[in-house]
mmCIF file with all atom_site columns, all heavy atoms in Angstrom:
data_model
loop_
_atom_site.group_PDB
_atom_site.id
_atom_site.type_symbol
_atom_site.label_atom_id
_atom_site.label_alt_id
_atom_site.label_comp_id
_atom_site.label_asym_id
_atom_site.label_entity_id
_atom_site.label_seq_id
_atom_site.pdbx_PDB_ins_code
_atom_site.Cartn_x
_atom_site.Cartn_y
_atom_site.Cartn_z
_atom_site.occupancy
_atom_site.B_iso_or_equiv
_atom_site.pdbx_formal_charge
_atom_site.auth_seq_id
_atom_site.auth_comp_id
_atom_site.auth_asym_id
_atom_site.auth_atom_id
_atom_site.pdbx_PDB_model_num
ATOM 1   N N   . ILE A 1 327 ? 99.950  141.594 108.716 1.00 90.00 ? 546 ILE A N   1
ATOM 2   C CA  . ILE A 1 327 ? 98.697  141.293 109.444 1.00 90.00 ? 546 ILE A CA  1
ATOM 3   C C   . ILE A 1 327 ? 98.811  141.862 110.897 1.00 90.00 ? 546 ILE A C   1
ATOM 4   O O   . ILE A 1 327 ? 98.051  142.586 111.396 1.00 90.00 ? 546 ILE A O   1
ATOM 5   C CB  . ILE A 1 327 ? 98.274  139.896 109.448 1.00 90.00 ? 546 ILE A CB  1
ATOM 6   C CG1 . ILE A 1 327 ? 97.880  139.447 107.982 1.00 90.00 ? 546 ILE A CG1 1
ATOM 7   C CG2 . ILE A 1 327 ? 97.047  139.655 110.364 1.00 90.00 ? 546 ILE A CG2 1
ATOM 8   C CD1 . ILE A 1 327 ? 97.562  138.045 107.908 1.00 90.00 ? 546 ILE A CD1 1
ATOM 9   N N   . ASN A 1 328 ? 100.013 141.501 111.504 1.00 88.00 ? 547 ASN A N   1
ATOM 10  C CA  . ASN A 1 328 ? 100.380 141.969 112.852 1.00 88.00 ? 547 ASN A CA  1
ATOM 11  C C   . ASN A 1 328 ? 100.246 143.483 113.006 1.00 88.00 ? 547 ASN A C   1
ATOM 12  O O   . ASN A 1 328 ? 99.786  144.020 113.954 1.00 88.00 ? 547 ASN A O   1
ATOM 13  C CB  . ASN A 1 328 ? 101.660 141.376 113.294 1.00 88.00 ? 547 ASN A CB  1
ATOM 14  C CG  . ASN A 1 328 ? 101.600 139.913 113.487 1.00 88.00 ? 547 ASN A CG  1
ATOM 15  O OD1 . ASN A 1 328 ? 100.545 139.423 113.587 1.00 88.00 ? 547 ASN A OD1 1
ATOM 16  N ND2 . ASN A 1 328 ? 102.823 139.344 113.398 1.00 88.00 ? 547 ASN A ND2 1
ATOM 17  N N   . ALA A 1 329 ? 101.022 144.220 112.035 1.00 89.00 ? 548 ALA A N   1
ATOM 18  C CA  . ALA A 1 329 ? 101.055 145.609 112.035 1.00 89.00 ? 548 ALA A CA  1
ATOM 19  C C   . ALA A 1 329 ? 99.606  146.258 111.795 1.00 89.00 ? 548 ALA A C   1
ATOM 20  O O   . ALA A 1 329 ? 99.255  147.140 112.503 1.00 89.00 ? 548 ALA A O   1
ATOM 21  C CB  . ALA A 1 329 ? 101.933 146.201 110.852 1.00 89.00 ? 548 ALA A CB  1
ATOM 22  N N   . LEU A 1 330 ? 98.799  145.556 110.945 1.00 91.00 ? 549 LEU A N   1
ATOM 23  C CA  . LEU A 1 330 ? 97.388  146.175 110.829 1.00 91.00 ? 549 LEU A CA  1
ATOM 24  C C   . LEU A 1 330 ? 96.669  145.848 112.078 1.00 91.00 ? 549 LEU A C   1
ATOM 25  O O   . LEU A 1 330 ? 95.900  146.919 112.397 1.00 91.00 ? 549 LEU A O   1
ATOM 26  C CB  . LEU A 1 330 ? 96.803  145.320 109.635 1.00 91.00 ? 549 LEU A CB  1
ATOM 27  C CG  . LEU A 1 330 ? 95.536  145.765 109.004 1.00 91.00 ? 549 LEU A CG  1
ATOM 28  C CD1 . LEU A 1 330 ? 95.272  145.308 107.603 1.00 91.00 ? 549 LEU A CD1 1
ATOM 29  C CD2 . LEU A 1 330 ? 94.418  145.225 109.837 1.00 91.00 ? 549 LEU A CD2 1
ATOM 30  N N   . LEU A 1 331 ? 96.699  144.804 112.622 1.00 90.00 ? 550 LEU A N   1
ATOM 31  C CA  . LEU A 1 331 ? 95.931  144.523 113.910 1.00 90.00 ? 550 LEU A CA  1
ATOM 32  C C   . LEU A 1 331 ? 96.270  145.515 114.934 1.00 90.00 ? 550 LEU A C   1
ATOM 33  O O   . LEU A 1 331 ? 95.442  146.047 115.652 1.00 90.00 ? 550 LEU A O   1
ATOM 34  C CB  . LEU A 1 331 ? 96.170  143.073 114.413 1.00 90.00 ? 550 LEU A CB  1
ATOM 35  C CG  . LEU A 1 331 ? 95.637  142.021 113.533 1.00 90.00 ? 550 LEU A CG  1
ATOM 36  C CD1 . LEU A 1 331 ? 96.115  140.672 114.074 1.00 90.00 ? 550 LEU A CD1 1
ATOM 37  C CD2 . LEU A 1 331 ? 94.194  141.961 113.262 1.00 90.00 ? 550 LEU A CD2 1
ATOM 38  N N   . SER A 1 332 ? 97.586  145.729 115.154 1.00 88.00 ? 551 SER A N   1
ATOM 39  C CA  . SER A 1 332 ? 98.052  146.638 116.171 1.00 88.00 ? 551 SER A CA  1
ATOM 40  C C   . SER A 1 332 ? 97.600  148.014 115.832 1.00 88.00 ? 551 SER A C   1
ATOM 41  O O   . SER A 1 332 ? 97.094  148.851 116.799 1.00 88.00 ? 551 SER A O   1
ATOM 42  C CB  . SER A 1 332 ? 99.602  146.617 116.246 1.00 88.00 ? 551 SER A CB  1
ATOM 43  O OG  . SER A 1 332 ? 99.996  147.491 117.264 1.00 88.00 ? 551 SER A OG  1
ATOM 44  N N   . TYR A 1 333 ? 97.685  148.451 114.626 1.00 89.00 ? 552 TYR A N   1
ATOM 45  C CA  . TYR A 1 333 ? 97.211  149.802 114.262 1.00 89.00 ? 552 TYR A CA  1
ATOM 46  C C   . TYR A 1 333 ? 95.763  149.990 114.453 1.00 89.00 ? 552 TYR A C   1
ATOM 47  O O   . TYR A 1 333 ? 95.294  151.024 115.010 1.00 89.00 ? 552 TYR A O   1
ATOM 48  C CB  . TYR A 1 333 ? 97.570  150.090 112.816 1.00 89.00 ? 552 TYR A CB  1
ATOM 49  C CG  . TYR A 1 333 ? 97.077  151.320 112.208 1.00 89.00 ? 552 TYR A CG  1
ATOM 50  C CD1 . TYR A 1 333 ? 97.745  152.507 112.434 1.00 89.00 ? 552 TYR A CD1 1
ATOM 51  C CD2 . TYR A 1 333 ? 95.888  151.392 111.431 1.00 89.00 ? 552 TYR A CD2 1
ATOM 52  C CE1 . TYR A 1 333 ? 97.309  153.750 111.831 1.00 89.00 ? 552 TYR A CE1 1
ATOM 53  C CE2 . TYR A 1 333 ? 95.426  152.640 110.902 1.00 89.00 ? 552 TYR A CE2 1
ATOM 54  C CZ  . TYR A 1 333 ? 96.121  153.751 111.080 1.00 89.00 ? 552 TYR A CZ  1
ATOM 55  O OH  . TYR A 1 333 ? 95.686  154.884 110.654 1.00 89.00 ? 552 TYR A OH  1
ATOM 56  N N   . VAL A 1 334 ? 94.882  149.039 114.040 1.00 89.00 ? 553 VAL A N   1
ATOM 57  C CA  . VAL A 1 334 ? 93.374  149.177 114.206 1.00 89.00 ? 553 VAL A CA  1
ATOM 58  C C   . VAL A 1 334 ? 93.026  149.252 115.684 1.00 89.00 ? 553 VAL A C   1
ATOM 59  O O   . VAL A 1 334 ? 92.179  149.989 116.110 1.00 89.00 ? 553 VAL A O   1
ATOM 60  C CB  . VAL A 1 334 ? 92.710  148.044 113.445 1.00 89.00 ? 553 VAL A CB  1
ATOM 61  C CG1 . VAL A 1 334 ? 91.186  148.055 113.862 1.00 89.00 ? 553 VAL A CG1 1
ATOM 62  C CG2 . VAL A 1 334 ? 92.912  148.171 111.945 1.00 89.00 ? 553 VAL A CG2 1
ATOM 63  N N   . LEU A 1 335 ? 93.786  148.362 116.504 1.00 89.00 ? 554 LEU A N   1
ATOM 64  C CA  . LEU A 1 335 ? 93.412  148.426 117.953 1.00 89.00 ? 554 LEU A CA  1
ATOM 65  C C   . LEU A 1 335 ? 93.686  149.850 118.628 1.00 89.00 ? 554 LEU A C   1
ATOM 66  O O   . LEU A 1 335 ? 92.969  150.260 119.330 1.00 89.00 ? 554 LEU A O   1
ATOM 67  C CB  . LEU A 1 335 ? 94.231  147.245 118.655 1.00 89.00 ? 554 LEU A CB  1
ATOM 68  C CG  . LEU A 1 335 ? 93.641  145.809 118.421 1.00 89.00 ? 554 LEU A CG  1
ATOM 69  C CD1 . LEU A 1 335 ? 94.678  144.868 118.972 1.00 89.00 ? 554 LEU A CD1 1
ATOM 70  C CD2 . LEU A 1 335 ? 92.262  145.653 119.051 1.00 89.00 ? 554 LEU A CD2 1
ATOM 71  N N   . GLN A 1 336 ? 94.855  150.340 118.175 1.00 86.00 ? 555 GLN A N   1
ATOM 72  C CA  . GLN A 1 336 ? 95.279  151.525 118.729 1.00 86.00 ? 555 GLN A CA  1
ATOM 73  C C   . GLN A 1 336 ? 94.474  152.809 118.289 1.00 86.00 ? 555 GLN A C   1
ATOM 74  O O   . GLN A 1 336 ? 94.275  153.717 118.983 1.00 86.00 ? 555 GLN A O   1
ATOM 75  C CB  . GLN A 1 336 ? 96.773  151.885 118.401 1.00 86.00 ? 555 GLN A CB  1
ATOM 76  C CG  . GLN A 1 336 ? 97.800  150.903 119.058 1.00 86.00 ? 555 GLN A CG  1
ATOM 77  C CD  . GLN A 1 336 ? 97.831  151.109 120.683 1.00 86.00 ? 555 GLN A CD  1
ATOM 78  O OE1 . GLN A 1 336 ? 97.469  152.195 121.014 1.00 86.00 ? 555 GLN A OE1 1
ATOM 79  N NE2 . GLN A 1 336 ? 98.269  150.134 121.280 1.00 86.00 ? 555 GLN A NE2 1
ATOM 80  N N   . THR A 1 337 ? 93.885  152.697 117.142 1.00 86.00 ? 556 THR A N   1
ATOM 81  C CA  . THR A 1 337 ? 93.036  153.764 116.492 1.00 86.00 ? 556 THR A CA  1
ATOM 82  C C   . THR A 1 337 ? 91.642  153.615 116.530 1.00 86.00 ? 556 THR A C   1
ATOM 83  O O   . THR A 1 337 ? 90.961  154.523 116.215 1.00 86.00 ? 556 THR A O   1
ATOM 84  C CB  . THR A 1 337 ? 93.618  154.088 115.013 1.00 86.00 ? 556 THR A CB  1
ATOM 85  O OG1 . THR A 1 337 ? 93.323  152.804 114.292 1.00 86.00 ? 556 THR A OG1 1
ATOM 86  C CG2 . THR A 1 337 ? 95.092  154.536 115.030 1.00 86.00 ? 556 THR A CG2 1
ATOM 87  N N   . ASN A 1 338 ? 91.133  152.454 117.024 1.00 85.00 ? 557 ASN A N   1
ATOM 88  C CA  . ASN A 1 338 ? 89.744  152.247 116.990 1.00 85.00 ? 557 ASN A CA  1
ATOM 89  C C   . ASN A 1 338 ? 89.227  151.829 118.307 1.00 85.00 ? 557 ASN A C   1
ATOM 90  O O   . ASN A 1 338 ? 88.408  150.766 118.525 1.00 85.00 ? 557 ASN A O   1
ATOM 91  C CB  . ASN A 1 338 ? 89.433  151.160 115.917 1.00 85.00 ? 557 ASN A CB  1
ATOM 92  C CG  . ASN A 1 338 ? 87.974  151.069 115.597 1.00 85.00 ? 557 ASN A CG  1
ATOM 93  O OD1 . ASN A 1 338 ? 87.371  152.057 115.344 1.00 85.00 ? 557 ASN A OD1 1
ATOM 94  N ND2 . ASN A 1 338 ? 87.496  149.893 115.602 1.00 85.00 ? 557 ASN A ND2 1
ATOM 95  N N   . ASP A 1 339 ? 89.635  152.512 119.424 1.00 85.00 ? 558 ASP A N   1
ATOM 96  C CA  . ASP A 1 339 ? 89.228  152.227 120.791 1.00 85.00 ? 558 ASP A CA  1
ATOM 97  C C   . ASP A 1 339 ? 89.360  150.697 121.142 1.00 85.00 ? 558 ASP A C   1
ATOM 98  O O   . ASP A 1 339 ? 88.625  150.156 121.847 1.00 85.00 ? 558 ASP A O   1
ATOM 99  C CB  . ASP A 1 339 ? 87.838  152.700 120.892 1.00 85.00 ? 558 ASP A CB  1
ATOM 100 C CG  . ASP A 1 339 ? 87.586  154.204 120.868 1.00 85.00 ? 558 ASP A CG  1
ATOM 101 O OD1 . ASP A 1 339 ? 88.536  154.974 121.128 1.00 85.00 ? 558 ASP A OD1 1
ATOM 102 O OD2 . ASP A 1 339 ? 86.567  154.462 120.229 1.00 85.00 ? 558 ASP A OD2 1
ATOM 103 N N   . ASN A 1 340 ? 90.582  150.165 120.721 1.00 86.00 ? 559 ASN A N   1
ATOM 104 C CA  . ASN A 1 340 ? 90.888  148.778 121.118 1.00 86.00 ? 559 ASN A CA  1
ATOM 105 C C   . ASN A 1 340 ? 89.854  147.781 120.587 1.00 86.00 ? 559 ASN A C   1
ATOM 106 O O   . ASN A 1 340 ? 89.659  146.739 121.293 1.00 86.00 ? 559 ASN A O   1
ATOM 107 C CB  . ASN A 1 340 ? 91.013  148.655 122.603 1.00 86.00 ? 559 ASN A CB  1
ATOM 108 C CG  . ASN A 1 340 ? 92.258  148.019 122.986 1.00 86.00 ? 559 ASN A CG  1
ATOM 109 O OD1 . ASN A 1 340 ? 93.193  147.918 122.278 1.00 86.00 ? 559 ASN A OD1 1
ATOM 110 N ND2 . ASN A 1 340 ? 92.326  147.531 124.314 1.00 86.00 ? 559 ASN A ND2 1
#
Side-chain angles (χ1 to χ4, degrees):
I546 294 175
N547 291 338
L549 189 157
L550 295 175
S551 182
Y552 175 81
V553 171
L554 287 171
Q555 292 290 339
T556 58
N557 196 46
D558 295 328
N559 232 17

